[in-house]
Amino acid sequence: MSNKMWGGRFEDGPDAIMEEINVSIDVDRHLYAQDIAASKAHAAMLAAQGIITASDAKNIAKGLDTILSEIVADKFTFKRALEDIHMNVESRLSELIGPAAGRLHTARSRNDQVATDFRLFVRDTIDAIDAALAGLQQALAERALEHADTVMPGFTHLQTAQPVTFGHHLLAYVEMTARDRGRFSDARKRLNESPLGAAALAGTSFPIDRHATAKALGFDRPMANSLDAVSDRDFVLETLAASSIASVHLSRIAEEIVIWTSPLVGLVRLSDKFTSGSSIMPQKRNPDAAELVRAKTGRVIGSLNALLIVMKGLPLTYQKDMQEDKEGAMEGFAAISLAIRAIAGMVRDLVPDEARMKLAAGEGYATATDLADWLVRTLKMPFRDAHHVTGRIVGIASKQGVALHDLPLKDMQAVEPKITAAVLDVLSVEASVKSRVSYGGTAPKNVRAQAKAWLKRLEKEQKSGRSR
Ligand code: ARG
């Protein structure tokens, strides 16, 4: 049997392999809500423009509502023979309301339909991801405030570099997440134009009102070029690109959690809620959730790569290749959404070992820069000379196997006679972080102010109900 939606000139049905490669219902069924919303807007516009009768439009809307409730209640039978969501909905509509269903497709095509549905879907996805990212920022900022004074080692090259505060470290991710949200919000602005009414590719001869359908669906305006409207998927690419960058941030904090919780490092502990045991080694507490967040990044970046490759070299306008835009993208969006929630959960769950952090912060002569800065400030030494003097003092301390603040003053004075006992004030890790008061620096008072400002901003955003 040929397809009743488009099979007028077909005598035979598809080969089984043709059906298998052509079918998209398993994926695009997830667009049902958007598909029905767009069809309702289209039908109302057709009636308002006198293209179909008001009574047909009413029946179409009623039928579409019934279909929506059937799908939501899991009572809808999706048919693979009908290929995709658009034809499944239309076919069911004709069962429900008869011939009027056939008028719904006036002045549109599946090409503008799928572009519209997927724009709406990606828009909803952006809003959900944005809300999840705001939740992550909230968790990070709360823990940052709690740990504004908690001293930990700061690293470069994964070598102990200078003492920082744990709160400051967490706030770094709040900033990254803010930029991630900015990228999603930029993508949302550009995608929020309606392809509906571009029809197959050239527009239509019917007197449609694309501004009306755009408005009804919450788009800012109709897309200005019908060829562009049905043929680009840059809105998916852009959102996947934003997702990829955000995933890289999530992967980095995930990796830090893996490092911090390793017994070799022991800076942080995760509870039973976010770890798992080993089936053979009873002592193990594995940070599986963090490892999986790290791994999900592959899926997200993979979905961006896959779609870039699908789209490159496609001539205008719609090509069936583009049907492959949805599966990977949906998988990528699902992966990042879960990863955000998992990281937020771990950020709330983790408990830093403050004593171990403080001890580790002082290891490896982490306050050497503070000594050099003291020589510059107090003895007016040029920084390069101070660096050299400090290096020699560190060498002596290291030979004796003691920390800088435990090195006898006379040993320091052997290198630089003008050093006084006042230097001891700057050599503790607490003094070190406290002194880093430059804007954006790690001093506890900076961290407290930044964390509070973020919490206030997030609360305001929550109240206004919108981040944009
Ligand atoms: N299932 C198709 C897709 O996702 C819908 C558009 C089909 N258009 C067409 N002319 N065959 O891309």
Side-chain angles (χ1 to χ4, degrees):
M1 199 193 66
S2 73
N3 187 299
K4 66 177 169 177
M5 298 289 148
W6 46 252
R9 62 159 293 182
F10 284 68
E11 287 168 9
D12 236 346
D15 189 276
I17 296 172
M18 172 59 188
E19 186 173 293
E20 197 180 326
I21 196 167
N22 201 34
V23 72
S24 62
I25 188 63
D26 299 333
V27 173
D28 59 29
R29 58 188 289 171
H30 298 298
L31 301 179
Y32 72 88
Q34 292 81 5
D35 194 71
I36 289 170
S39 285
K40 284 180 75 173
H42 184 67
M45 179 279 291
L46 290 177
Q49 296 297 106
I51 301 167
I52 63 172
T53 64
S55 104
D56 279 347
K58 215 177 119 196
N59 286 331
I60 289 171
K62 240 182 95 190
L64 289 169
D65 284 339
T66 305
I67 294 171
L68 182 63
S69 52
E70 287 176 352
I71 296 176
V72 170
D74 225 354
K75 286 190 185 121
F76 187 92
T77 318
F78 290 100
K79 297 188 184 128
R80 296 174 69 80
L82 291 168
E83 273 185 51
D84 58 24
I85 184 67
H86 324 296
M87 295 201 289
N88 268 273
V89 169
E90 192 183 319
S91 164
R92 177 70 184 134
L93 189 63
S94 86
E95 283 172 16
L96 288 170
I97 68 165
R103 299 193 188 280
L104 172 60
H105 214 52
T106 315
R108 77 169 187 193
S109 145
R110 279 188 292 156
N111 296 350
D112 58 339
Q113 212 183 338
V114 74
T116 304
D117 293 0
F118 206 28
R119 273 180 193 261
L120 292 172
F121 180 91
V122 175
R123 192 177 72 187
D124 292 344
T125 301
I126 288 176
D127 292 345
I129 289 177
D130 184 69
L133 288 173
L136 172 59
Q137 285 184 305
Q138 178 81 26
L140 287 163
E142 281 173 14
R143 299 307 306 269
L145 188 57
E146 184 187 335
H147 290 287
D149 294 283
T150 306
V151 179
M152 73 176 277
F155 301 94
T156 62
H157 312 267
L158 200 51
Q159 307 286 318
T160 307
Q162 290 176 344
V164 296
T165 59
F166 189 49
H168 195 52
H169 196 107
L170 295 176
L171 284 179
Y173 284 104
V174 176
E175 297 291 331
M176 289 177 235
T177 306
R179 291 192 296 277
D180 290 333
R181 295 182 65 191
R183 273 179 282 273
F184 280 107
S185 140
D186 288 346
R188 191 189 197 281
K189 275 179 215 139
R190 269 183 295 278
L191 82 65
N192 205 30
E193 294 187 343
S194 174
L196 195 58
L201 74 163
T204 175
S205 56
F206 290 97
I208 59 170
D209 183 352
R210 293 190 56 209
H211 293 272
T213 46
K215 195 167 165 217
L217 295 169
F219 287 116
D220 296 328
R221 61 192 77 83
M223 291 180 77
N225 184 297
S226 63
L227 305 176
D228 175 40
V230 296
S231 68
D232 207 355
R233 293 294 181 267
D234 59 352
F235 64 99
V236 193
L237 289 171
E238 214 178 331
T239 308
L240 287 174
S243 302
S244 296
I245 297 172
S247 296
V248 168
H249 290 150
L250 296 171
S251 185
R252 293 184 74 176
I253 191 168
E255 168 65 3
E256 297 205 300
I257 290 172
V258 171
I259 293 174
W260 291 339
T261 55
S262 162
L264 279 176
V265 177
L267 295 183
V268 157
R269 192 181 147 90
L270 283 174
S271 81
D272 297 355
K273 288 188 188 141
F274 283 94
T275 48
S276 76
S278 156
S279 54
I280 176 166
M281 298 163 283
Q283 86 285 8
K284 291 289 289 292
R285 177 186 283 283
N286 298 326
D288 299 48
E291 296 169 84
L292 287 165
V293 166
R294 199 170 57 183
K296 296 270 181 212
T297 312
R299 261 178 214 261
V300 181
I301 297 172
S303 62
L304 170 62
N305 280 331
L307 187 57
L308 283 168
I309 294 166
V310 166
M311 294 307 294
K312 81 160 272 300
L314 287 188
L316 303 190
T317 56
Y318 178 84
Q319 317 295 337
K320 193 64 174 248
D321 309 51
M322 286 153 64
Q323 176 166 288
E324 288 287 311
D325 61 351
K326 288 178 264 328
E327 189 169 358
M330 286 178 183
E331 203 180 278
F333 295 146
I336 188 175
S337 304
L338 183 54
I340 297 166
R341 287 189 291 133
I343 290 292
M346 284 183 273
V347 166
R348 290 191 183 283
D349 182 73
L350 58 79
V351 179
D353 181 336
E354 296 183 33
R356 169 85 196 110
M357 275 188 169
K358 187 181 156 185
L359 203 70
E363 275 166 16
Y365 303 100
T367 57
T369 317
D370 297 277
L371 172 53
D373 287 351
W374 186 88
L375 296 171
V376 170
R377 215 172 22 245
T378 316
L379 306 183
K380 308 289 174 231
M381 217 181 253
F383 183 78
R384 275 293 148 230
D385 300 343
H387 187 286
H388 190 75
V389 167
T390 304
R392 286 178 58 201
I393 292 173
V394 165
I396 293 167
S398 160
K399 251 185 223 134
Q400 297 184 17
V402 296
L404 274 183
H405 56 269
D406 293 328
L407 185 70
L409 189 59
K410 66 169 180 21
D411 288 324
M412 291 196 210
Q413 286 165 338
V415 179
E416 172 49 64
K418 290 204 237 41
I419 293 178
T420 65
V423 76
L424 295 172
D425 291 344
V426 303
L427 295 182
S428 74
V429 291
E430 286 92 346
S432 172
V433 295
K434 220 167 158 183
S435 74
R436 300 278 192 267
V437 290
S438 56
Y439 182 78
T442 195
K445 74 168 196 194
N446 284 12
V447 173
R448 245 186 302 280
Q450 287 283 347
K452 280 184 190 158
W454 268 115
L455 290 170
K456 216 159 139 192
R457 212 180 303 177
L458 290 164
E459 190 190 278
K460 220 169 112 192
E461 205 180 273
Q462 188 88 29
K463 276 199 189 126
S464 72
R466 247 279 119 88
S467 51
R468 272 161 292 277

